[in-house]
């Protein structure tokens, strides 16, 4: 909790909570109009494009942020812009289950000059609440596989504990390369599905 910027997380949540509602109902409307196979293919391509764009932009954004911090030219963020980002991410999370981590982190690196470890902590906290909101809507709509959810939860808990321990020990540049490698591997898997 020491690495969470609560003010920034609250501003993002002001947009993302309504965004999850919009996204869940948009997905429901798409499911009623598009055959399941076509919709799955479309969503996989959206996910892959998002991941590849994130992977390609991340090292550049990290270098830009580092230069701004060194020159003491920290970019200021507006509450309206952060709320708009939250809204877009909320919609994206509800439709694709992605965005609270990758897209938000990319935008935070671009727009907010805080240490990466603090951005990661803020993004995880914000993402937890955004994903919980979207999950509640999808549970209500009957879109949740309980067994798969339990397996994912059991696997992610040790990962979160390990990651939080490593967060303070990885360099700013190291974060960029780790994220990029992760996103490229996920995007490749989505394209090959």
């Amino acid at each position: 909790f020491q690495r969470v910027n609560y003010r920034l997380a609250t501003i993002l949540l002001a947009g993302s909570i309504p965004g999850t509602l919009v996204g869940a109902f948009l997905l429901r409307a798409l499911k009623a109009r598009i055959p399941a196979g076509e919709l799955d293919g479309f969503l996989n391509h959206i996910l892959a494009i998002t991941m590849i764009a994130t992977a390609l932009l991340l090292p550049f954004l990290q270098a830009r942020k580092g230069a701004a911090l060194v020159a003491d030219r920290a970019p200021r963020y507006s509450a309206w812009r952060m709320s708009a980002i939250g809204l877009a991410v909320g919609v994206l999370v509800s439709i694709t289950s992605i965005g609270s981590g990758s897209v938000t982190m990319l935008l935070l690196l671009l727009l907010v000059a805080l240490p990466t470890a603090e951005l990661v902590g803020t993004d995880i906290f914000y993402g937890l609440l955004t994903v919980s909101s979207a999950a509640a809507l999808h549970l209500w709509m009957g879109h949740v596989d309980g067994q798969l959810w339990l397996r994912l939860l059991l696997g992610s808990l040790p990962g979160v504990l390990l990651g939080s321990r490593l967060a303070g020990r990885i360099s700013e540049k190291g974060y960029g390369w780790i994220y990029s490698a992760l996103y490229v591997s996920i995007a490749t898997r989505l394209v090959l599905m």
Side-chain angles (χ1 to χ4, degrees):
F1 291 109
Q2 295 174 349
R3 293 193 179 108
V4 177
N5 184 313
Y6 291 101
R7 180 180 182 274
L8 178 57
T10 302
I11 292 168
L12 288 164
L13 284 166
S16 70
I17 300 299
T20 59
L21 186 63
V22 170
F25 284 102
L26 179 59
L27 182 60
R28 187 179 202 175
L30 289 171
K31 287 179 97 172
R33 290 176 174 75
I34 300 173
E38 287 181 35
L39 183 59
D40 285 347
F42 172 72
L43 293 176
N44 280 345
H45 283 91
I46 296 257
L47 288 168
I49 290 167
T50 302
M51 290 296 202
I52 290 170
T54 302
L56 294 175
L57 289 172
L58 203 52
F60 165 75
L61 294 176
Q62 287 248 273
R64 180 178 168 189
K65 187 183 101 173
L69 286 170
V70 168
D72 198 25
R73 290 182 286 107
R76 302 289 176 228
Y77 61 88
S78 75
W80 289 107
R81 182 181 288 178
M82 292 295 113
S83 290
I85 288 168
L87 178 69
V89 168
V91 171
L92 195 59
V93 165
S94 281
I95 293 175
T96 65
S97 83
I98 198 167
S100 63
S102 59
V103 174
T104 307
M105 191 64 195
L106 179 69
L107 294 170
L108 291 178
L109 285 167
L110 176 63
L111 299 171
V112 181
L114 291 172
T116 303
E118 188 172 339
L119 291 178
V120 169
T122 303
D123 188 38
I124 289 171
F125 177 76
Y126 154 77
L128 173 67
L129 297 176
T130 299
V131 169
S132 296
S133 169
L137 288 166
H138 283 287
L139 184 63
W140 175 68
M141 292 179 177
H143 300 163
V144 176
D145 180 329
Q147 289 184 349
L148 179 59
W149 172 80
L150 187 59
R151 289 183 197 139
L152 289 169
L153 180 66
L154 290 174
S156 66
L157 291 176
V160 168
L161 292 172
L162 178 63
S164 64
R165 295 257 184 228
L166 293 174
R169 299 177 186 182
I170 299 173
S171 69
E172 298 279 320
K173 192 173 183 180
Y175 273 110
W177 290 111
I178 289 169
Y179 273 108
S180 292
L182 178 64
Y183 296 159
V184 166
S185 67
I186 293 170
T188 302
R189 177 74 176 118
L190 288 169
V191 170
L192 296 175
M193 286 178 73

